[in-house]
Amino acid sequence: MDIPKTYDPKQAEARHYSRWEEAGFFAPEINRDPHAPVYSIVIPPPNVTGSLHMGHALQHTIMDVLTRYKRMSGYRTLWLPGMDHAGISTQIMVERQLKKEGLTRHDLGREKFTERVWQWKQEYGGQILKQMRREGASVDWSRERFTMDEHLTRAVREFFVRSYEDGLIYHGEGMISWCPKDQTALSDLEVDKEEQKDGKLYYLQYPVKGSDRRVTVATTRPETMLGDTAVAVNPNDERYRDLLGATLLLPIVSREIPIVADEFVDPEFGTGAVKVTPAHDPNDYAMGIRHNLPQVRVIDQHARMTAEAGAEFEGLDRYQAREKVIEKFETFGLLEKIVDYEFSITKCGRCRTVIEPLISTQWFLKQAELGRAPLELVREKHEPRFVPRVPYEKVYTDWLENLHDWTLSRQLWWGHRIPAWYDEEGNVYVARTEEEARVKAGTDKLEQDPDVLDTWFSSALWPISTLGWPDETEDLKTFYPTSLLVTARDIIFLWVSRMMMTGLKFMGERAFDDVFITGTIFDKHGQRMSKTKGNGVDPLEVFDKYGVDATRLVLASIGTTDTRWNDTQVESYRNFANKIWNATRFCLMNSEGASVKSDAFAVERDKLALHDRWILSRLNRTAREVNEFLAKYAFHEAVQTLYHFFWDDFCDWYIELTKAEITAEAASPERDAARSRILTVLEQALRLLHPFMPYITEELWLSLPGVDEKLLHPAYEGAHATIMLASYPQGEEALIDVRAEDEMQAIIDLISRVRNIRSEMNIKPGERVPLLISAADENLRAVFAASTDQIARIARVSEINITEKLDAPRASARAVLGGGAELAVPLEGLIDFAQERERLTKEQAKLKAEAEKLEKQLGNPQFVERAPAEKVEELRQRVADINQRMSALEQNLEAFA
RNA sequence: GCCCGCUUAGCUCAGUUGGUAGAGCACACGCUUCACACGCGUGGGGUCAGAAGUUCGAGUCUUCUAGCGGGCACCA
């Protein structure tokens, strides 16, 4: 027998994945049952530029555990992989590459540049997909999709055209967030607010025309005053009532601007007078429309001042212009004060450049209309079901209640080009193809809109487009709606909500039943992992160090909770994997004449030893619990249950209890039967563990004698043997044996007490001691009697004497057990009476404290009256048991007196 | 400003419907016991952030306070 003592994860990891993939185990077609229930997940498509981080590994683990679990449970299972073209990120990545060659994208031109991006994708993109193989992700690679695939492009155009025809999409002027560095419009979800701790608030004075008065306005952006076209005050503000309708002389540019009244203005803030710059601030833009104010554009797309800002300012950067405006105001004596002021500024979510709000002609989508159906669904039916519901259902609902128009167009080259064409007069034709547009326009002289769509526009279609929409494919019929979406919380708005919108619009059904929001993994100091900080833990390094299976156990346990990453947890699961390895090794070393058998435990109940009935019960109870936990996404609990079943019940107790039988040198039907039983329990345990630990379980499962195709779930008839397709144990209620568990517990307690005595009395591990057991209850005596061999072996006892009443020599260490049992270890010459007295006194004190607490509670008439009768009875039982133990201890102490 | 979450053993975290506080790691002691030292056995360690309330009974429910972390908001 030549099995290494230590499990080497890398070997198993290298061995099985490609085999599984090539055999088609990941594809739903492997399931031959036409009536099989369906389980489907589409992966959140990682960016084509991305590489695996812990967040991905976490999401993938959750998805894979469930997919493998459902597959083993007989479901027709699809986990669909793919990638996102990631417009801006990818374009920037390739531009950076070009820069090294001294080129810009404009040097290449649009067509060549796009080709270059595709080339880049071929060579470097999709790193993450290779890494997913390492994770053991059981995705169906035959259905891999990319958001820029021809078919998905067709879906995008369909979405666009239909929405345009329905009046949901429009082309027009609006106030948008513009990134001066990336040179594109952004949606409000792609920008971040950032606190400006050292911000300043500038108080500027504007002279009133034909008067000595001045009106003071407060602003954080003085440079925009060059584009002011009004000052607004609250209509109820007494201070300015007489100035309503007056004209102000805008300093520097000498423009005459009105004072207007608007409810928006908060009289409490600043001076109660607000400068209005309709071309460069979202609120002012809205106010400008309300009061029909001119829009003077003083800042351009590069965040530099325009000619409109005046000759002195033209070409200046916005911050230089700010300095200059302040200088001027100071010289004019119009700068009232500058105060420190904390506020937030908006930055580009990608490059952190400060956003410039600009008026621009773009394509927009009226999200409010699309959002109505998802909003109703979540309000009325709580669908999709968020896990955890708090706080995400509310977050999602709140957002849907307050939808703004979505800026769709991006001034980029990489992405889905907007399917809109213009004729020479500038009329727009939205169509699925250029041909269609020509027909609509009645001319060939058309020019396509140069812009591309927001990346999230195609992502919004992911669950339906990947399954074939707009065609009515078999996949779409079979796998939609999907069962589950697993993702991080930061894209609930960007993505989750929008998939619900498109799913409901085009399919009339929710995109997924459940939405599982994973926790966030921080570094050990509680800091968010990020590339710029360089504090990220690389999943691949963790895989290398501890193995994929161990890492997956940690990730599955994390589930929805925010966690600080620490290697010690992985290490402990690495040890667990090793434990599984060695337990199997032990079973294999003693497997001659035996095999995994469906009828290994099929003998009359009274012919089966207690420990066999017990492990069978524990196994089935564990299986039931794990199924229940998985049904409610309680991964941590499932992992804990399996861990303790395998380590504590199976290894620490069952193997030890059955060891003598199994390692017997002489072959016998009894030995072979015992060997088959342990193999059979082990085989089931491996299946239960498989969704979490795919590699080690497959590696070991295949090595077990008697394991073959017959163990596969009936749906996979004809497939080669693999644990992946073995049926997941459901746990049989009938095999749960409460009595066996209670009786076994008595044995375990007994052995533990003996071990405790041995340890406290410093008895050498090799030294065997005699043991006296007493129990008034006949049945309990029988239970002990039936297990004397095991007790003797495990507790290292030389001889066991079971009596009705304890009759031990004075020089004995004693202990009391539940159920009125007692034990004594005679230690003539070894025992230190003082020490033993101390030990017993300590134990007595413990019991006494507990008894007092309970008696106090029982002495409370209100408790006895109001608490449920069974609760009261339970306490009485406990008190009785404690009292029994105490009196036994008392007698023991007297023996030493 | 509004909303939400978190605070449990030295560390990382569990604790379902209110009814004797748990795990892993760490720590102490003892073990080359014929699967495993990535192991075995034994043991110590928590007034569950603080306060008040509801209740026979609160880690668990309510309110407030503090600290930390999110999300949202047009306050110039």
Side-chain angles (χ1 to χ4, degrees), chain A residues 674-859:
Chain A
R675 287 179 168 189
S676 290
R677 283 194 294 271
I678 200 168
L679 283 170
T680 302
V681 173
L682 173 64
E683 190 270 336
Q684 298 261 328
L686 291 175
R687 286 199 229 173
L688 286 169
L689 286 162
H690 179 259
F692 299 94
M693 311 180 81
Y695 290 115
I696 190 173
T697 51
E698 176 78 322
E699 177 81 7
L700 296 175
W701 191 80
L702 290 171
S703 72
L704 299 181
V707 155
D708 59 26
E709 295 81 5
K710 286 196 285 295
L711 295 175
L712 301 192
H713 189 282
Y716 305 110
E717 207 186 319
H720 288 296
T722 171
I723 194 170
M724 267 189 70
L725 304 178
S727 63
Y728 201 76
Q730 303 295 306
E732 285 182 47
E733 188 76 53
L735 295 175
I736 295 177
D737 184 342
V738 178
R739 189 172 154 199
E741 292 195 25
D742 285 347
E743 289 176 356
M744 190 63 221
Q745 195 55 50
I747 306 274
I748 289 174
D749 288 345
L750 173 79
I751 293 171
S752 299
R753 297 307 293 164
V754 177
R755 282 169 165 175
N756 170 265
I757 287 169
R758 296 183 61 107
S759 181
E760 303 249 323
M761 296 288 113
N762 294 319
I763 296 164
K764 291 207 170 61
E767 190 171 335
R768 294 189 171 266
V769 291
L771 173 64
L772 306 177
I773 308 171
S774 75
D777 181 59
E778 190 183 347
N779 180 56
L780 195 50
R781 286 202 303 276
V783 168
F784 291 137
S787 296
T788 47
D789 287 353
Q790 281 101 336
I791 295 168
R793 179 185 168 92
I794 297 172
R796 307 228 135 213
V797 167
S798 52
E799 58 187 283
I800 297 178
N801 218 315
I802 304 171
T803 52
E804 196 176 339
K805 275 190 161 171
L806 196 63
D807 179 22
R810 181 168 173 262
S812 296
R814 299 145 197 266
V816 280
L817 301 163
E822 289 181 59
L823 67 87
V825 179
L827 294 168
E828 196 59 58
L830 281 171
I831 201 151
D832 176 335
F833 287 91
Q835 196 186 340
E836 176 66 359
R837 215 166 22 239
E838 195 187 324
R839 195 176 67 82
L840 294 178
T841 312
K842 217 163 76 185
E843 197 173 330
Q844 200 182 32
K846 236 191 248 174
L847 288 174
K848 202 176 166 193
E850 208 182 324
E852 274 170 6
K853 203 171 131 191
L854 293 174
E855 264 157 9
K856 195 179 155 198
Q857 204 174 349
L858 283 168

Side-chain angles (χ1 to χ4, degrees), chain A residues 22-177:
Chain A
E22 279 154 26
F25 293 160
F26 300 156
E29 285 76 18
I30 193 80
N31 190 310
R32 301 285 181 81
D33 175 7
H35 307 295
V38 171
Y39 191 80
S40 60
I41 299 178
V42 291
I43 199 171
N47 288 355
V48 61
T49 54
S51 63
L52 197 73
H53 62 238
M54 255 331 156
H56 294 123
L58 169 56
Q59 293 175 21
H60 298 165
T61 297
I62 303 292
M63 287 186 265
D64 197 45
V65 165
L66 290 166
T67 302
R68 285 178 182 274
Y69 166 61
K70 292 290 181 179
R71 189 184 291 115
M72 291 175 76
S73 302
Y75 284 67
R76 177 177 307 283
T77 309
L78 170 63
W79 180 15
L80 185 144
M83 278 189 298
D84 193 282
H85 66 280
I88 301 181
S89 311
T90 313
Q91 174 159 332
I92 288 172
M93 188 80 81
V94 176
E95 283 185 295
R96 212 175 283 153
Q97 200 187 39
L98 283 177
K99 202 175 170 190
K100 284 182 194 150
E101 301 164 27
L103 296 170
T104 71
R105 72 175 201 261
H106 301 283
D107 295 328
L108 293 185
R110 182 166 192 147
E111 205 174 316
K112 282 262 153 54
F113 178 76
T114 317
E115 271 174 32
R116 182 76 187 243
V117 181
W118 278 105
Q119 201 185 323
W120 181 92
K121 184 208 170 225
Q122 285 308 111
E123 276 180 56
Y124 306 103
Q127 195 57 34
I128 209 163
L129 299 183
K130 290 184 198 105
Q131 296 166 329
M132 277 183 70
R133 289 182 152 83
R134 179 83 192 278
E135 291 177 313
S138 61
V139 295
D140 180 7
W141 293 109
S142 73
R143 283 178 172 79
E144 184 189 334
R145 300 285 183 267
F146 181 52
T147 48
M148 295 271 283
D149 283 348
E150 207 180 314
H151 187 89
L152 276 76
T153 303
R154 195 150 74 77
V156 163
R157 289 191 168 195
E158 187 68 24
F159 177 21
F160 192 94
V161 173
R162 279 218 228 161
S163 302
Y164 181 76
E165 287 167 353
D166 294 346
L168 293 176
I169 285 181
Y170 65 93
H171 188 227
E173 208 170 61
M175 172 64 59
I176 50 105
S177 297

